[in-house]
Coordinates of all heavy atoms in Angstrom, one line a residue:
M1 N -67.0 6.6 -135.6 CA -67.6 6.3 -134.3 C -67.6 4.8 -134.2 O -67.8 4.1 -135.1 CB -69.0 6.9 -134.3 CG -69.1 8.4 -134.5 SD -68.6 9.3 -133.1 CE -70.1 9.5 -132.2
I2 N -67.5 4.4 -133.0 CA -67.6 2.9 -132.7 C -68.8 2.7 -131.7 O -69.0 3.5 -130.9 CB -66.3 2.3 -132.1 CG1 -65.9 3.0 -130.9 CG2 -65.2 2.3 -133.2 CD1 -64.8 2.3 -130.2
E3 N -69.5 1.6 -131.9 CA -70.6 1.3 -131.1 C -70.2 0.4 -130.0 O -69.5 -0.6 -130.2 CB -71.7 0.7 -131.9 CG -73.0 0.6 -131.1 CD -74.2 0.1 -132.0 OE1 -73.9 -0.5 -133.1 OE2 -75.3 0.4 -131.7
H4 N -70.5 0.8 -128.7 CA -70.0 0.0 -127.6 C -71.3 -0.5 -126.8 O -72.1 0.3 -126.5 CB -69.1 0.8 -126.7 CG -68.5 0.0 -125.6 ND1 -67.6 -1.0 -125.8 CD2 -68.8 0.0 -124.2 CE1 -67.3 -1.5 -124.6 NE2 -68.0 -0.9 -123.6
F5 N -71.3 -1.8 -126.5 CA -72.5 -2.3 -125.7 C -72.0 -2.5 -124.3 O -70.9 -2.9 -124.0 CB -72.9 -3.6 -126.3 CG -73.6 -3.5 -127.6 CD1 -72.9 -3.5 -128.8 CD2 -75.0 -3.4 -127.7 CE1 -73.5 -3.3 -130.0 CE2 -75.6 -3.3 -128.9 CZ -74.9 -3.2 -130.1
F6 N -72.9 -2.1 -123.4 CA -72.6 -2.2 -121.9 C -73.9 -2.3 -121.1 O -75.0 -2.0 -121.7 CB -71.7 -1.1 -121.4 CG -72.4 0.3 -121.5 CD1 -72.9 0.8 -120.4 CD2 -72.5 0.9 -122.7 CE1 -73.5 2.1 -120.4 CE2 -73.1 2.2 -122.8 CZ -73.6 2.8 -121.6
M7 N -73.8 -2.6 -119.9 CA -74.9 -2.7 -119.0 C -75.2 -1.3 -118.3 O -74.3 -0.7 -117.7 CB -74.6 -3.7 -117.9 CG -75.8 -4.6 -117.5 SD -76.1 -5.9 -118.6 CE -75.1 -7.2 -117.9
C8 N -76.4 -0.9 -118.4 CA -76.8 0.3 -117.7 C -76.7 0.1 -116.1 O -77.3 -0.9 -115.7 CB -78.2 0.7 -118.0 SG -78.9 2.1 -117.0
P9 N -76.1 1.0 -115.4 CA -76.0 0.8 -113.9 C -77.3 1.1 -113.2 O -77.3 0.8 -112.0 CB -74.9 1.8 -113.5 CG -74.9 2.9 -114.6 CD -75.3 2.2 -115.9
H10 N -78.3 1.6 -113.9 CA -79.5 1.9 -113.3 C -80.5 0.7 -113.5 O -81.1 0.2 -112.5 CB -80.2 3.1 -113.8 CG -79.4 4.4 -113.6 ND1 -79.4 5.0 -112.3 CD2 -78.5 5.1 -114.3 CE1 -78.6 6.1 -112.4 NE2 -78.0 6.1 -113.6
C11 N -80.7 0.3 -114.7 CA -81.8 -0.7 -115.0 C -81.2 -2.0 -115.5 O -82.0 -2.9 -115.7 CB -82.7 -0.1 -116.1 SG -81.9 0.2 -117.7
W12 N -79.9 -2.1 -115.6 CA -79.2 -3.4 -116.0 C -79.7 -3.9 -117.3 O -79.6 -5.1 -117.5 CB -79.4 -4.4 -114.8 CG -78.8 -3.9 -113.6 CD1 -79.5 -3.4 -112.5 CD2 -77.4 -3.7 -113.3 NE1 -78.6 -3.0 -111.5 CE2 -77.3 -3.1 -112.0 CE3 -76.2 -4.0 -114.0 CZ2 -76.1 -2.8 -111.4 CZ3 -75.0 -3.6 -113.4 CH2 -74.9 -3.1 -112.1
Q13 N -80.1 -3.1 -118.2 CA -80.4 -3.5 -119.5 C -79.1 -3.3 -120.4 O -78.3 -2.4 -120.0 CB -81.5 -2.7 -120.2 CG -82.9 -2.8 -119.5 CD -83.4 -4.2 -119.5 OE1 -83.5 -4.8 -120.6 NE2 -83.7 -4.9 -118.4
E14 N -79.0 -4.1 -121.4 CA -77.8 -3.9 -122.3 C -78.2 -2.8 -123.2 O -79.2 -2.8 -123.9 CB -77.5 -5.1 -123.0 CG -76.2 -4.9 -123.8 CD -75.7 -6.2 -124.6 OE1 -76.5 -6.6 -125.5 OE2 -74.7 -6.7 -124.3
I15 N -77.4 -1.7 -123.2 CA -77.6 -0.6 -124.1 C -76.3 -0.4 -124.9 O -75.2 -0.9 -124.6 CB -78.0 0.7 -123.4 CG1 -76.9 1.0 -122.4 CG2 -79.4 0.5 -122.7 CD1 -77.2 2.4 -121.6
S16 N -76.4 0.3 -126.0 CA -75.3 0.7 -126.8 C -75.1 2.2 -126.9 O -76.0 2.9 -126.8 CB -75.4 0.1 -128.2 OG -76.4 0.7 -128.9
M17 N -73.9 2.6 -127.1 CA -73.6 4.0 -127.2 C -72.5 4.2 -128.3 O -71.6 3.3 -128.5 CB -73.0 4.4 -125.8 CG -73.4 5.8 -125.5 SD -73.3 6.1 -123.7 CE -75.0 5.9 -123.2
L18 N -72.7 5.2 -129.0 CA -71.7 5.5 -130.0 C -70.5 6.4 -129.4 O -70.8 7.4 -128.8 CB -72.3 6.3 -131.2 CG -73.2 5.5 -132.1 CD1 -73.9 6.4 -133.1 CD2 -72.4 4.5 -132.9
L19 N -69.3 5.9 -129.6 CA -68.2 6.6 -129.0 C -67.3 7.2 -130.1 O -67.1 6.5 -131.2 CB -67.3 5.6 -128.2 CG -68.1 4.8 -127.1 CD1 -67.1 3.8 -126.5 CD2 -68.6 5.7 -126.1
D20 N -66.8 8.3 -129.9 CA -65.9 9.0 -130.8 C -64.5 8.6 -130.4 O -63.9 9.1 -129.4 CB -66.1 10.5 -130.7 CG -65.4 11.2 -131.8 OD1 -64.7 10.6 -132.6 OD2 -65.5 12.5 -131.8
P21 N -63.8 7.7 -131.2 CA -62.5 7.2 -130.7 C -61.3 8.1 -131.0 O -60.3 7.7 -131.5 CB -62.4 5.9 -131.6 CG -63.1 6.2 -132.8 CD -64.2 7.2 -132.4
V22 N -61.5 9.4 -130.6 CA -60.4 10.3 -130.8 C -59.6 10.6 -129.6 O -58.4 10.6 -129.6 CB -61.0 11.6 -131.4 CG1 -59.9 12.7 -131.6 CG2 -61.7 11.4 -132.7
Y23 N -60.3 10.9 -128.5 CA -59.6 11.2 -127.3 C -60.3 10.6 -126.1 O -61.5 10.4 -126.1 CB -59.4 12.7 -127.1 CG -60.6 13.5 -127.4 CD1 -61.5 13.8 -126.3 CD2 -60.8 14.0 -128.6 CE1 -62.6 14.6 -126.6 CE2 -61.9 14.8 -128.9 CZ -62.8 15.1 -127.8 OH -63.9 15.9 -128.1
S24 N -59.6 10.4 -125.0 CA -60.2 10.0 -123.7 C -61.0 11.1 -123.1 O -60.7 12.2 -123.1 CB -59.1 9.5 -122.8 OG -58.3 8.5 -123.4
Q25 N -62.2 10.7 -122.6 CA -63.0 11.7 -122.0 C -64.0 11.1 -121.0 O -64.2 9.9 -120.9 CB -63.8 12.4 -123.1 CG -64.6 11.5 -124.0 CD -65.2 12.1 -125.2 OE1 -65.7 13.2 -125.1 NE2 -65.1 11.5 -126.3
T26 N -64.6 12.0 -120.2 CA -65.7 11.7 -119.3 C -66.9 12.5 -119.7 O -66.7 13.7 -119.8 CB -65.3 11.9 -117.9 OG1 -64.1 11.2 -117.6 CG2 -66.4 11.5 -116.9
Y27 N -68.0 11.9 -119.8 CA -69.2 12.7 -120.1 C -70.4 12.0 -119.6 O -70.4 10.9 -119.1 CB -69.3 13.0 -121.6 CG -69.3 11.7 -122.5 CD1 -70.5 11.2 -122.9 CD2 -68.1 11.2 -122.9 CE1 -70.5 10.1 -123.7 CE2 -68.1 10.1 -123.7 CZ -69.3 9.5 -124.1 OH -69.3 8.4 -124.9
V28 N -71.6 12.7 -119.7 CA -72.8 12.1 -119.2 C -73.8 11.9 -120.3 O -74.0 12.7 -121.2 CB -73.4 13.1 -118.2 CG1 -74.8 12.7 -117.7 CG2 -72.5 13.3 -117.0
E29 N -74.4 10.7 -120.3 CA -75.4 10.3 -121.3 C -76.6 9.8 -120.6 O -76.5 9.1 -119.6 CB -74.8 9.2 -122.3 CG -73.8 9.7 -123.2 CD -74.3 10.1 -124.6 OE1 -75.6 10.1 -124.7 OE2 -73.5 10.4 -125.5
D30 N -77.7 10.0 -121.2 CA -78.9 9.3 -120.6 C -79.1 8.0 -121.2 O -78.9 7.7 -122.4 CB -80.2 10.2 -120.9 CG -80.2 11.5 -120.2 OD1 -79.5 11.6 -119.2 OD2 -80.9 12.4 -120.6
C31 N -79.5 7.0 -120.3 CA -79.8 5.6 -120.8 C -81.0 5.7 -121.7 O -82.0 6.3 -121.5 CB -80.1 4.8 -119.5 SG -80.7 3.1 -120.0
E32 N -80.9 4.9 -122.8 CA -81.9 4.9 -123.8 C -83.1 4.1 -123.3 O -84.2 4.2 -123.9 CB -81.4 4.4 -125.1 CG -81.0 3.0 -125.1 CD -80.2 2.5 -126.3 OE1 -79.7 3.4 -127.1 OE2 -80.1 1.3 -126.6
V33 N -83.0 3.3 -122.3 CA -84.1 2.5 -121.8 C -84.8 3.2 -120.6 O -86.0 3.4 -120.6 CB -83.6 1.1 -121.3 CG1 -84.7 0.3 -120.7 CG2 -83.0 0.4 -122.5
C34 N -84.0 3.6 -119.5 CA -84.6 4.1 -118.3 C -84.5 5.7 -118.2 O -85.0 6.3 -117.3 CB -84.1 3.4 -117.1 SG -82.3 3.8 -116.8
C35 N -83.7 6.2 -119.1 CA -83.5 7.7 -119.2 C -82.8 8.3 -118.0 O -82.7 9.5 -117.8 CB -84.8 8.4 -119.4 SG -85.7 8.0 -120.9
N36 N -82.2 7.5 -117.2 CA -81.4 8.0 -116.1 C -80.0 8.4 -116.6 O -79.4 7.7 -117.5 CB -81.2 6.9 -115.0 CG -82.5 6.9 -114.1 OD1 -82.9 7.8 -113.5 ND2 -83.1 5.7 -114.1
P37 N -79.4 9.4 -116.0 CA -78.0 9.8 -116.5 C -76.9 8.8 -116.0 O -76.9 8.3 -114.9 CB -77.8 11.2 -115.8 CG -78.7 11.1 -114.6 CD -79.9 10.2 -114.9
I38 N -76.0 8.6 -116.9 CA -74.9 7.7 -116.7 C -73.6 8.4 -117.0 O -73.5 9.1 -118.0 CB -75.0 6.4 -117.6 CG1 -76.3 5.8 -117.6 CG2 -73.9 5.4 -117.3 CD1 -76.5 4.8 -118.7
E39 N -72.7 8.3 -116.0 CA -71.4 8.9 -116.3 C -70.5 7.9 -117.0 O -70.3 6.8 -116.5 CB -70.7 9.3 -115.0 CG -69.4 10.1 -115.2 CD -68.8 10.5 -113.9 OE1 -69.2 11.6 -113.4 OE2 -67.9 9.8 -113.4
I40 N -70.1 8.3 -118.2 CA -69.3 7.4 -119.0 C -67.8 7.9 -119.0 O -67.6 9.1 -119.2 CB -69.8 7.5 -120.5 CG1 -71.3 7.2 -120.5 CG2 -69.0 6.5 -121.3 CD1 -71.7 5.8 -120.3
Q41 N -66.9 7.0 -118.8 CA -65.5 7.3 -118.8 C -64.8 6.4 -119.8 O -64.9 5.2 -119.7 CB -64.9 7.1 -117.4 CG -63.6 7.9 -117.3 CD -63.1 7.9 -115.8 OE1 -63.9 7.4 -114.9 NE2 -62.0 8.4 -115.6
V42 N -64.3 7.0 -120.9 CA -63.7 6.2 -121.9 C -62.2 6.6 -122.1 O -61.8 7.7 -121.9 CB -64.4 6.3 -123.3 CG1 -65.8 5.7 -123.2 CG2 -64.5 7.8 -123.7
G43 N -61.4 5.6 -122.5 CA -60.0 5.8 -122.8 C -59.7 5.2 -124.2 O -60.1 4.1 -124.5
F44 N -59.0 5.9 -125.0 CA -58.6 5.4 -126.3 C -57.1 5.5 -126.5 O -56.4 6.4 -126.0 CB -59.3 6.2 -127.4 CG -60.7 6.0 -127.4 CD1 -61.6 7.0 -126.9 CD2 -61.3 4.9 -128.0 CE1 -62.9 6.9 -126.9 CE2 -62.7 4.8 -128.0 CZ -63.5 5.8 -127.5
E45 N -56.6 4.5 -127.2 CA -55.2 4.6 -127.6 C -55.1 4.2 -129.1 O -55.5 3.1 -129.5 CB -54.3 3.6 -126.8 CG -53.5 4.3 -125.7 CD -52.8 3.3 -124.8 OE1 -52.1 2.5 -125.3 OE2 -53.1 3.4 -123.6
E46 N -54.7 5.1 -129.9 CA -54.6 4.9 -131.3 C -55.9 4.4 -131.9 O -55.9 3.4 -132.7 CB -53.4 3.9 -131.6 CG -52.1 4.6 -131.3 CD -50.9 3.6 -131.4 OE1 -51.2 2.5 -131.9 OE2 -49.8 3.9 -131.0
G47 N -57.0 5.0 -131.5 CA -58.3 4.6 -132.1 C -58.9 3.4 -131.5 O -60.0 3.0 -131.9
E48 N -58.2 2.7 -130.6 CA -58.8 1.5 -129.9 C -59.3 1.8 -128.5 O -58.6 2.5 -127.8 CB -57.7 0.4 -129.8 CG -57.1 -0.1 -131.2 CD -58.1 -1.0 -131.9 OE1 -58.8 -1.7 -131.2 OE2 -58.2 -0.9 -133.1
L49 N -60.4 1.3 -128.2 CA -61.0 1.5 -126.9 C -60.2 0.7 -125.9 O -60.1 -0.6 -126.0 CB -62.4 1.0 -126.9 CG -63.2 1.2 -125.6 CD1 -63.4 2.7 -125.3 CD2 -64.6 0.5 -125.6
T50 N -59.5 1.3 -124.9 CA -58.7 0.7 -123.9 C -59.3 0.6 -122.6 O -59.0 -0.2 -121.8 CB -57.3 1.3 -123.8 OG1 -57.5 2.7 -123.6 CG2 -56.5 1.2 -125.1
S51 N -60.3 1.5 -122.3 CA -61.0 1.4 -121.0 C -62.4 2.0 -121.1 O -62.6 2.9 -121.9 CB -60.2 2.2 -119.9 OG -60.2 3.6 -120.2
F52 N -63.3 1.4 -120.4 CA -64.6 1.9 -120.5 C -65.3 1.7 -119.1 O -65.2 0.6 -118.5 CB -65.5 1.1 -121.5 CG -66.9 1.7 -121.6 CD1 -67.2 2.6 -122.6 CD2 -67.9 1.2 -120.8 CE1 -68.5 3.1 -122.7 CE2 -69.2 1.7 -120.9 CZ -69.5 2.6 -121.9
E53 N -65.9 2.8 -118.6 CA -66.6 2.6 -117.3 C -67.9 3.4 -117.3 O -67.9 4.5 -117.9 CB -65.6 3.2 -116.2 CG -65.8 2.6 -114.8 CD -64.8 3.1 -113.8 OE1 -63.6 3.1 -114.1 OE2 -65.3 3.6 -112.8
A54 N -68.9 2.8 -116.8 CA -70.2 3.5 -116.7 C -70.7 3.4 -115.3 O -70.7 2.3 -114.7 CB -71.2 2.8 -117.7
R55 N -71.0 4.6 -114.7 CA -71.5 4.5 -113.4 C -72.6 5.5 -113.2 O -72.8 6.4 -113.9 CB -70.4 4.8 -112.4 CG -69.6 6.0 -112.5 CD -68.6 6.2 -111.4 NE -67.3 6.0 -111.7 CZ -66.5 6.9 -112.3 NH1 -66.9 8.1 -112.6 NH2 -65.2 6.6 -112.6
E56 N -73.4 5.2 -112.1 CA -74.5 6.1 -111.7 C -74.0 7.4 -111.3 O -72.9 7.6 -110.8 CB -75.3 5.5 -110.6 CG -75.9 4.1 -110.9 CD -76.5 3.6 -109.6 OE1 -77.4 4.2 -109.0 OE2 -76.1 2.5 -109.3
I57 N -74.8 8.4 -111.5 CA -74.4 9.8 -111.0 C -75.0 10.1 -109.7 O -76.2 9.7 -109.4 CB -74.8 10.8 -112.1 CG1 -74.0 10.6 -113.3 CG2 -74.7 12.2 -111.6 CD1 -74.2 11.6 -114.4
G58 N -74.3 10.8 -108.9 CA -74.9 11.2 -107.6 C -75.0 10.1 -106.6 O -75.8 10.2 -105.7
Q59 N -74.2 9.1 -106.7 CA -74.3 8.0 -105.7 C -73.0 8.0 -104.8 O -72.0 8.4 -105.3 CB -74.3 6.6 -106.4 CG -75.5 6.5 -107.3 CD -76.8 6.2 -106.5 OE1 -76.8 5.4 -105.6 NE2 -77.8 6.9 -106.9
Ligands
ZN1 ZN1 -81.0 2.3 -117.9

């Protein structure tokens, strides 16, 4: 697992998330600060993070 730091789209705090660098995926995680759901989209190539997007849900 790799730890990735990014800005929460709800509360703009820097939070970190553990990513499984196996395959590209989209999933939903709750922010550890404000508890709002964030849609996470990650892409990996050969175990390296190549794209990362975090956006609000239902906007
Ligand atoms: Zn937040």
Side-chain angles (χ1 to χ4, degrees):
M1 302 287 270
I2 57 171
E3 191 172 21
H4 185 73
F5 289 86
F6 65 101
M7 215 82 91
C8 171
H10 297 282
C11 64
W12 300 106
Q13 297 296 305
E14 188 180 63
I15 57 177
S16 70
M17 215 158 260
L18 286 172
L19 306 175
D20 190 358
V22 177
Y23 46 88
S24 302
Q25 55 188 315
T26 302
Y27 56 95
V28 174
E29 288 266 5
D30 289 341
C31 171
E32 63 192 20
V33 177
C34 68
C35 299
N36 281 302
I38 308 165
E39 187 179 276
I40 308 285
Q41 202 170 351
V42 291
F44 294 101
E45 259 172 54
E46 294 173 7
E48 297 285 325
L49 184 66
T50 54
S51 68
F52 183 93
E53 209 176 307
R55 57 174 105 82
E56 298 174 58
I57 292 184
Q59 299 286 312

